[in-house]
Amino acid sequence: MIPPQEASARRREIEDKLKKEEETLSFIRDSLEKSDQLTKNMVSILSSFESRLMKLENSIIPVHKQTETLQRLQENVEKTLSCLDHVISYYHVASDTEKVIREGPTGRLEEYLGSMAKIQKAVEYFQDNSPDSPELNKVKLLFERGKESLESEFRSLMTRHSKVVSPVLILDLISGDDELEVQEEGTLEHLPESVLQDVVRISRWLVEYGRNQDFMNVYYQIRSSQLDRSIKGLKEHFRRSSSSSGVPYSPAVPNKRKDTPTKKPVKRPGTIRKAQNLLKQYSQHGLDGKKGGSNLIPLEGRDDMLDVETDAYIHCVSAFVKLAQSEYQLLMDIIPEHHQKRTFDSLIQDALDGLMLEGESIVSAARKAIIRHDFSTVLTVFPILRHLKQTKPEFDQVLQGTAASTKNKLPGLITSMETIGAKALEDFADNIKNDPDKEYNMPKDGTVHELTSNAILFLQQLLDFQETAGAMLASQETSSSATSYSSEFSKRLLSTYICKVLGNLQLNLLSKSKVYEDPALSAIFLHNNYNYILKSLEKSELIQLVAVTQRTAERSYQEHIEQQIQTYQRSWLKVTDYIAEKNLPVFQPGVKLRDKERQMIKERFKGFNDGLEELCKIQKAWAIPDTEQRDKIRQAQKNIVKETYGAFLHRYGSVPFTKNPEKYIKYRVEQVGDMIDRLFDTSA
């Protein structure tokens, strides 16, 4: 049970808490009343504000809408005025641009093209909006006049600034100078840069806006003429240079341009001149041939102008390739891409046709030369054909994309030249075989026949054109292997051909030697010719070429030469037989000779003397041009005769067979040797 004091205290505590709670409740109640009052006041204020805001909105919105309408109206008016100004401007285009169009685009291309753009827009406007208006016809006429002026300006610029490329510059271009290639990058400046830019702009305008392709015809006609004239100028340069100085090359013009290199002579193609020089070298060693009968026109008499024409044509072919490449580079800037190939094809036709026509003329001249057996003229085909085949890859690259007829021109010419070249080779071999034996044309001194020197000269010339000549022969082969022949195959064909010519020559020389009545002279003739052939083969690369198919050729000629020497030496038997021991009388020393024996000794001395004098007189007029062979034959014959005569003289020189020994013993042994030493020497 809780004590009374503690319960009383507990009650007072509870009462105190209750009182505090009542006070708190009273405070909360007062606060809620104040809050309600404030809320009512706020609601009242907001209601008032809303009412006023609605009144304001009702007043502003109509004003805003009215203002917006006014702004739209203003914009419409401005647009209308702008459109009117734009439309009205089309009506003034003709008057505004007429003066510019009338004066033309020269010197003011930018302004002119701007005026043409205005006129074009006017034409488009009237066509779309007022096709029946007179203004349309007016601007159309003005546009056509402007287009014609641009076409005329294009022609004028191309005509005035397209210059023929000088021969010196062309020679620089094709000379292969590394320095030049670095400096000029292998291109030519056909048009000044400023002019080129104008031409390009006009061409693009004519294609895009002028709907005109006639300017392409103008372009190719002008450039075609310049290309053709440039190549003809180079050819004429060769002719003039040759006639004035004999040297068809000129140095670059001084001060023409700072980086112009000094012109180096272009390496000339192999011509007959090299073989002629070889012949001159052999002449110095006693191998020269004298005039003998031959229906072959002498190669030595060949006109140097033929070489000039050959060189000129070869360089014109190279010039065409380089200039055509340069023309295509220029064309790419000016002519639209899908018209470039066709325009280029037309552009190069005149120059290409000129080259092909000249090439066919060379073939025709070679064909006529074959008929008259002038094989020196035919030789011009060889360097030309070689150059054409070497240049063909570049030709094919340049002509890529042109018409088939254009591409086939060079292969057709090459085929013609191969055919005529092969015919020339075969006819030459036949002529060597069938050259007639004309007694009045045979060399009287038995020296080298002109047929031999011509044949060797011709074969030496082929050394510079082994691959070309082999290809000519291979082109005539009907076997399937010939269609894809190798260099080894063509080399064997050429070796076989050379052996054929040498075989024909040998047969013909044997036939010709029979014209001589004296077998000794016939032997000297064959000896000289065989020796000339052998030495010529050895001093050039012909012997290596012959050895491809005939390894024993050198030994065979040496045997023939020795055989002819032996035949010649038999001519002296009629001299030495008189004093040969087998034909001498036998007698005892100290025993008086009988009349018959004395007479026999006299006859032996007289026969020897007469035979010696006769042979020396005759053979002194014969010739052995080769010093080494001449000395060898003299020495061998001198040894035989001196030995035989010395023995005879030793045996009978002191025998009293006559009262006048000086009448019969006319020569000492040394004198006989001196007489033989003067054989084969027409100057002695």
Side-chain angles (χ1 to χ4, degrees), residues 194-224:
S194 59
V195 174
L196 177 60
Q197 291 178 0
D198 286 350
V199 169
V200 170
R201 291 206 62 186
I202 293 174
S203 69
R204 289 177 179 174
W205 188 94
L206 289 173
V207 170
E208 187 174 354
Y209 303 110
R211 305 293 189 270
N212 187 341
Q213 297 181 5
D214 292 343
F215 78 95
M216 299 181 197
N217 297 331
V218 172
Y219 177 85
Y220 90 70
Q221 289 168 1
I222 294 173
R223 294 308 307 172
S224 175

Side-chain angles (χ1 to χ4, degrees), residues 80 88 113 169 348 366 372-373 390 434 467 560 609 640 656:
T80 302
I88 292 171
L113 292 178
L169 197 55
I348 62 174
R372 63 177 184 271
H373 302 153
Q390 290 173 345
N434 301 319
E467 187 173 345
H560 288 317
N609 293 335
I640 295 172

Side-chain angles (χ1 to χ4, degrees), residues 638-655:
K638 185 168 63 173
N639 292 341
I640 295 172
V641 176
K642 284 178 66 178
E643 181 181 354
T644 306
Y645 181 63
F648 176 76
L649 195 60
H650 176 73
R651 185 168 185 177
Y652 295 101
S654 58
V655 175

Side-chain angles (χ1 to χ4, degrees), residues 510-612:
L510 282 171
S511 177
K512 290 183 185 301
S513 69
K514 296 175 183 177
V515 172
Y516 296 111
E517 295 180 359
D518 191 335
L521 181 56
S522 177
I524 291 297
F525 170 77
L526 290 175
H527 165 274
N528 284 332
N529 282 272
Y530 291 157
N531 184 61
Y532 177 85
I533 293 170
L534 177 59
K535 292 296 177 66
S536 298
L537 293 178
E538 291 175 339
K539 287 181 178 292
S540 66
E541 297 176 10
L542 279 173
I543 193 66
Q544 288 90 348
L545 200 53
V546 169
V548 172
T549 55
Q550 191 171 332
R551 298 184 181 278
T552 62
E554 191 171 3
R555 186 174 72 245
S556 176
Y557 274 111
Q558 290 171 346
E559 292 173 353
H560 288 317
I561 292 170
E562 287 301 321
Q563 182 181 354
Q564 298 309 318
I565 292 176
Q566 293 172 12
T567 301
Y568 162 74
Q569 289 176 340
R570 284 197 289 271
S571 69
W572 282 84
L573 290 177
K574 63 182 180 181
V575 176
T576 57
D577 276 353
Y578 279 105
I579 58 176
E581 186 174 356
K582 62 181 180 179
N583 297 324
L584 297 177
V586 179
F587 61 91
Q588 295 295 327
V591 179
K592 185 179 180 180
L593 296 175
R594 291 175 294 178
D595 292 342
K596 182 179 179 181
E597 291 172 338
R598 286 197 297 271
Q599 185 62 34
M600 184 177 292
I601 294 173
K602 290 179 183 179
E603 289 176 357
R604 295 293 180 268
F605 269 108
K606 186 177 186 304
F608 173 79
N609 293 335
D610 291 347
L612 176 67

Side-chain angles (χ1 to χ4, degrees), residues 233-281:
L234 177 63
K235 183 177 181 181
E236 187 60 31
H237 171 75
F238 271 80
R239 291 175 175 171
R240 288 197 308 268
S241 299
S242 175
S243 61
S244 62
S245 63
V247 181
Y249 307 102
S250 299
V253 179
N255 300 325
K256 180 178 179 184
R257 61 181 189 270
K258 186 175 180 181
D259 59 348
T260 300
T262 302
K263 181 72 184 74
K264 297 179 181 178
V266 181
K267 184 178 180 182
R268 303 184 69 186
T271 61
I272 189 63
R273 188 173 293 118
K274 179 178 179 181
Q276 290 173 333
N277 291 337
L278 287 172
L279 181 62
K280 292 177 183 177
Q281 293 175 12

Side-chain angles (χ1 to χ4, degrees), residues 388-651:
L388 289 179
K389 295 179 79 169
Q390 290 173 345
T391 313
K392 187 176 180 298
E394 288 185 89
F395 243 101
D396 293 342
Q397 185 177 7
V398 169
L399 301 183
Q400 190 176 14
T402 57
S405 58
T406 303
K407 294 178 182 176
N408 292 334
K409 288 180 179 179
L410 181 64
L413 179 59
I414 288 175
T415 300
S416 296
M417 287 193 171
E418 282 191 330
T419 302
I420 200 66
K423 179 172 176 53
L425 291 175
E426 292 303 320
D427 281 22
F428 181 80
D430 291 341
N431 274 275
I432 292 295
K433 181 179 181 180
N434 301 319
D435 187 68
D437 305 327
K438 299 177 182 177
E439 182 176 355
Y440 61 88
N441 274 333
M442 293 292 289
K444 305 301 181 184
D445 56 3
T447 190
V448 178
H449 197 282
E450 189 176 44
L451 176 70
T452 303
S453 60
N454 280 349
I456 293 300
L457 199 58
F458 187 88
L459 295 180
Q460 287 167 348
Q461 176 61 12
L462 296 184
L463 288 175
D464 282 339
F465 309 103
Q466 295 183 36
E467 187 173 345
T468 302
M472 286 178 176
L473 296 170
S475 68
Q476 304 306 303
E477 290 290 313
T478 56
S479 62
S480 59
S481 60
T483 58
S484 58
Y485 56 87
S486 63
S487 58
E488 185 63 29
F489 175 75
S490 61
K491 188 174 183 179
R492 291 188 66 83
L493 279 179
L494 183 58
S495 176
T496 302
Y497 171 78
I498 292 175
C499 292
K500 176 182 177 181
V501 172
L502 293 175
N504 289 350
L505 177 61
Q506 186 173 340
L507 290 173
N508 197 303
L509 290 173
L510 282 171
S511 177
K512 290 183 185 301
S513 69
K514 296 175 183 177
V515 172
Y516 296 111
E517 295 180 359
D518 191 335
L521 181 56
S522 177
I524 291 297
F525 170 77
L526 290 175
H527 165 274
N528 284 332
N529 282 272
Y530 291 157
N531 184 61
Y532 177 85
I533 293 170
L534 177 59
K535 292 296 177 66
S536 298
L537 293 178
E538 291 175 339
K539 287 181 178 292
S540 66
E541 297 176 10
L542 279 173
I543 193 66
Q544 288 90 348
L545 200 53
V546 169
V548 172
T549 55
Q550 191 171 332
R551 298 184 181 278
T552 62
E554 191 171 3
R555 186 174 72 245
S556 176
Y557 274 111
Q558 290 171 346
E559 292 173 353
H560 288 317
I561 292 170
E562 287 301 321
Q563 182 181 354
Q564 298 309 318
I565 292 176
Q566 293 172 12
T567 301
Y568 162 74
Q569 289 176 340
R570 284 197 289 271
S571 69
W572 282 84
L573 290 177
K574 63 182 180 181
V575 176
T576 57
D577 276 353
Y578 279 105
I579 58 176
E581 186 174 356
K582 62 181 180 179
N583 297 324
L584 297 177
V586 179
F587 61 91
Q588 295 295 327
V591 179
K592 185 179 180 180
L593 296 175
R594 291 175 294 178
D595 292 342
K596 182 179 179 181
E597 291 172 338
R598 286 197 297 271
Q599 185 62 34
M600 184 177 292
I601 294 173
K602 290 179 183 179
E603 289 176 357
R604 295 293 180 268
F605 269 108
K606 186 177 186 304
F608 173 79
N609 293 335
D610 291 347
L612 176 67
E613 291 170 356
E614 181 185 1
L615 280 186
C616 287
K617 180 181 179 181
I618 292 173
Q619 295 184 10
K620 179 182 177 182
W622 298 354
I624 299 180
D626 188 335
T627 305
E628 182 182 348
Q629 286 291 314
R630 183 168 64 238
D631 292 342
K632 174 184 174 182
I633 292 174
R634 281 175 177 171
Q635 188 62 42
Q637 198 60 52
K638 185 168 63 173
N639 292 341
I640 295 172
V641 176
K642 284 178 66 178
E643 181 181 354
T644 306
Y645 181 63
F648 176 76
L649 195 60
H650 176 73
R651 185 168 185 177

Side-chain angles (χ1 to χ4, degrees), residues 269-273 299 302-314 358-367 369-370 372 374-388 417 420-421 424 458 461-462 465 468 472:
T271 61
I272 189 63
R273 188 173 293 118
L299 300 181
R302 169 185 162 100
D303 188 358
D304 281 348
M305 184 54 68
L306 210 55
D307 278 342
V308 174
E309 293 294 332
T310 300
D311 289 345
Y313 184 74
I314 286 174
E358 189 172 352
E360 291 298 338
S361 297
I362 293 171
V363 172
S364 178
R367 188 176 291 109
I370 292 173
R372 63 177 184 271
D374 178 11
F375 294 98
S376 62
T377 300
V378 180
L379 286 172
T380 60
V381 172
F382 286 74
I384 292 174
L385 176 58
R386 179 177 66 181
H387 187 71
L388 289 179
M417 287 193 171
I420 200 66
F458 187 88
Q461 176 61 12
L462 296 184
F465 309 103
T468 302
M472 286 178 176

